[in-house]
Amino acid sequence: MKLKNTFKRSLYLLSLILIGYSAKSQNTVTIGNQNTNYISYFTPFNNFYNYSWASNIYLSSEIGQAGTITKIAFYVYDGTNINMSSQSIYLRETTASSYTNSTYPGTSGFTSVYSGTINYVWNGNSGWQTITLTTPFNYTGSNNLEVLCLNNSGSYTNNFEYFYVTTGYSTNRSKMDYYDASFPSTCRNCGAYSMISNCQLTIGCTPNTTVTPTTATVCLGTGTNITASGASTYTWSPSSGLNTTSGATVTATPTTTTTYSVASTNTASCVQTNTVTITVNALPSLTITPSSATICSGSSTTLT
C-alpha cells in the first residue's frame, strides 16, 4: 500500500511539473438581463429576411476581464428547431461605447470568429444558444467589444427565433438592418437602438501568476520563503513541510526534495497552477575520534 501511494504521489508531482504555467480554466460572463419581457427577432440573427446584419457593443466594465473568447451565446425566448446557413460572427475591440449612426459598419478591423451553419435546438424552454467559435478571439480587456452578426442565407423562414434583449440604455448600443433582395450594406431598413442582445461570453483565463523562486536548494532542517503574485487567493500543496497552505507567501521546510504547487484564483474566478521544486541537501555525516579523552593539565591530545 505504501509503494502504491508513493507511485500515485510521483505521478501527481510529475503532472504538476508538466502542466507548469499552462494550467488554467474558463469563466462565463453574462451581459444583459435575460429575463426582460422585450423580445426581438431582429438581433443578433434575423432569419425572417433573406439577408440581415446586427451589431452590438458590450462595455469592458460589463465583461470585466481579459482573456481568449472561445464561445458566445445568445438568449432564445421562442422558436423551433431550425438550421440557419451562411451565418457569420465578427469581433473587434472598440473605444466607442455607443453608435452614432445606423449604417453598416463593414468587416474591416473585425476578426472573423465563426462562419457556417447555426443549429438552433428548441426544447420548449427559454435558454442560451451557445456557438463555439472556430477562431477564438484574444480580448485585451482594455477596450469595449463589438459583436457583428451577418445573415447571408438568401432565404427566410416563418419559424424564426425570438431573442430576449435588454432595453433602457441612455445611448444606442445596437444597430441592425435587413432586406430580402440583397445584403443591406447600404441602408434599407437600418436603425440604431438603446438595447443590447443578451450575451454570454466564455473566456479562457490569461496566465498572469508568477512564483519566486521557481527553484531553490536548502540544507536539511532549514527553510525558504516562496511567494506567488498576480492573483487574489492562493492555495498551496502538498502541506508537508509548509507553515501554511494559504496566502501569497509560505515558508517551506521539507525533509526531502519536494515539488510544491500553488493554485491561484483571480477576481474573475479563473484558476492558474504554478509549481516550484525545493531541493533538500543532506547534512554531512561526521564522526570524531576519540569520542572522549582524559589528559593532564599542560598536555594535549589529537581529535580527528
Side-chain angles (χ1 to χ4, degrees):
M1 179 63 71
K2 183 176 180 180
L3 179 61
K4 183 178 180 181
N5 290 338
T6 302
F7 178 70
K8 287 182 177 180
R9 177 182 171 82
S10 299
L11 287 178
Y12 168 75
L13 294 177
L14 177 60
S15 65
L16 290 177
I17 294 172
L18 290 176
I19 61 177
Y21 293 91
S22 63
K24 50 187 180 293
S25 65
Q26 292 187 326
N27 190 41
T28 300
V29 176
T30 301
I31 306 171
N33 174 15
Q34 62 270 24
N35 294 319
T36 182
N37 59 5
Y38 190 89
I39 306 165
S40 172
Y41 59 83
F42 294 109
T43 179
F45 293 100
N46 181 0
N47 60 309
F48 188 58
Y49 289 86
N50 292 351
Y51 304 94
S52 61
W53 60 266
S55 193
N56 289 263
I57 291 178
Y58 301 99
L59 306 182
S60 59
S61 58
E62 296 169 335
I63 301 172
Q65 68 177 92
T68 302
I69 301 174
T70 58
K71 298 178 182 179
I72 190 169
F74 301 103
Y75 201 83
V76 177
Y77 167 76
D78 192 10
T80 186
N81 295 339
I82 61 172
N83 298 326
M84 294 173 57
S85 63
S86 301
Q87 308 297 301
S88 302
I89 302 175
Y90 292 83
L91 301 182
R92 71 176 174 186
E93 295 192 31
T94 178
T95 57
S97 59
S98 62
Y99 292 112
T100 58
N101 60 65
S102 57
T103 58
Y104 176 57
T107 58
S108 177
F110 283 89
T111 298
S112 175
V113 295
Y114 182 86
S115 180
T117 299
I118 298 177
N119 301 312
Y120 284 96
V121 178
W122 174 253
N123 60 7
N125 297 308
S126 301
W128 292 102
Q129 175 69 45
T130 302
I131 303 165
T132 300
L133 305 185
T134 52
T135 303
F137 182 79
N138 294 321
Y139 176 63
T140 67
S142 302
N143 302 302
N144 301 323
L145 180 69
E146 187 172 4
V147 179
L148 173 64
C149 299
L150 309 183
N151 167 30
N152 275 293
S153 63
S155 61
Y156 73 95
T157 173
N158 287 324
N159 298 321
F160 50 85
E161 306 300 314
Y162 283 100
F163 296 92
Y164 269 142
V165 297
T166 298
T167 62
Y169 295 98
S170 59
T171 56
N172 292 329
R173 295 278 299 276
S174 68
K175 62 180 180 177
M176 64 199 73
D177 200 358
Y178 51 91
Y179 196 53
D180 271 337
S182 60
F183 185 82
S185 56
T186 59
C187 183
R188 298 295 183 174
N189 299 282
C190 62
Y193 307 92
S194 57
M195 65 181 185
I196 58 171
S197 299
N198 294 290
C199 178
Q200 271 189 350
L201 300 173
T202 300
I203 304 178
C205 298
T206 301
N208 57 4
T209 304
T210 58
V211 176
T212 54
T214 55
T215 60
T217 301
V218 297
C219 293
L220 181 64
T222 61
T224 185
N225 288 338
I226 313 172
T227 300
S229 60
S232 300
T233 61
Y234 308 90
T235 303
W236 301 79
S237 64
S239 60
S240 175
L242 296 181
N243 67 323
T244 181
T245 57
S246 62
T249 300
V250 297
T251 300
T253 312
T255 57
T256 60
T257 297
T258 304
T259 296
Y260 292 102
S261 68
V262 54
S264 308
T265 306
N266 64 12
T267 56
S269 300
C270 290
V271 180
Q272 178 186 340
T273 301
N274 297 69
T275 61
V276 54
T277 298
I278 308 299
T279 301
V280 178
N281 287 338
L283 298 175
S285 179
L286 296 178
T287 57
I288 301 176
T289 55
S291 58
S292 63
T294 301
I295 61 174
C296 294
S297 179
S299 60
S300 63
T301 187
T302 298
L303 301 178
T304 302

